[in-house]
């Protein structure tokens, strides 16, 4: 919900709830306990088609660990473990 509010140039929570009821709004990609998940590209396309300015969102993660790999990109080699 917050991401859709930000993506469609800071719409109010109430307005986003209204838009989710519009018949041609994209269907959720998946339903999780915390709420529905929508594909960003589908929401962007819908917003552009309906005249909403689209805000560029930079996705950041606080998660530590392996970084995501783009399709076609070579996977990093695992580091050799030292024997103790």
């Amino acid at each position: 919900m917050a991401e859709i509010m930000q993506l469609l140039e800071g719409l109010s929570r109430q307005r986003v709830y209204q838009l989710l009821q519009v018949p041609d709004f994209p269907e959720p990609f998946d339903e999780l306990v915390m709420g529905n998940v929508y594909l960003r590209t589908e929401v962007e396309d819908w917003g552009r088609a309906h005249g909403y300015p689209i805000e560029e969102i930079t996705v950041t993660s606080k998660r530590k660990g392996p970084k995501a790999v783009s399709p076609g990109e070579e996977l990093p080699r695992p580091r050799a473990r030292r024997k103790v």
Side-chain angles (χ1 to χ4, degrees):
M1 176 64 63
E3 292 83 2
I4 294 174
M5 291 168 54
Q6 182 181 2
L7 184 65
L8 298 178
E9 286 288 325
L11 294 179
S12 69
R13 184 174 301 277
Q14 179 179 6
R15 182 63 181 140
V16 172
Y17 277 123
Q18 291 171 345
L19 292 176
L20 294 176
Q21 305 307 312
V22 173
D24 67 337
F25 194 83
E27 291 291 319
F29 173 72
D30 201 357
E31 295 180 30
L32 305 176
V33 172
M34 61 185 255
N36 291 335
V37 177
Y38 294 86
L39 293 177
R40 177 179 175 168
T41 55
E42 290 183 1
V43 174
E44 287 176 341
D45 292 346
W46 184 91
R48 285 188 187 98
H50 289 81
Y52 288 95
I54 304 300
E55 181 177 318
E56 291 299 320
I57 299 175
T58 302
V59 179
T60 58
S61 175
K62 296 178 183 175
R63 181 177 161 250
K64 301 289 183 195
K67 303 208 184 284
V69 178
S70 300
E73 187 178 339
E74 195 170 313
L75 292 172
R77 294 179 183 256
R79 291 188 286 179
R81 293 186 179 195
R82 294 187 314 179
K83 292 185 180 179
V84 181

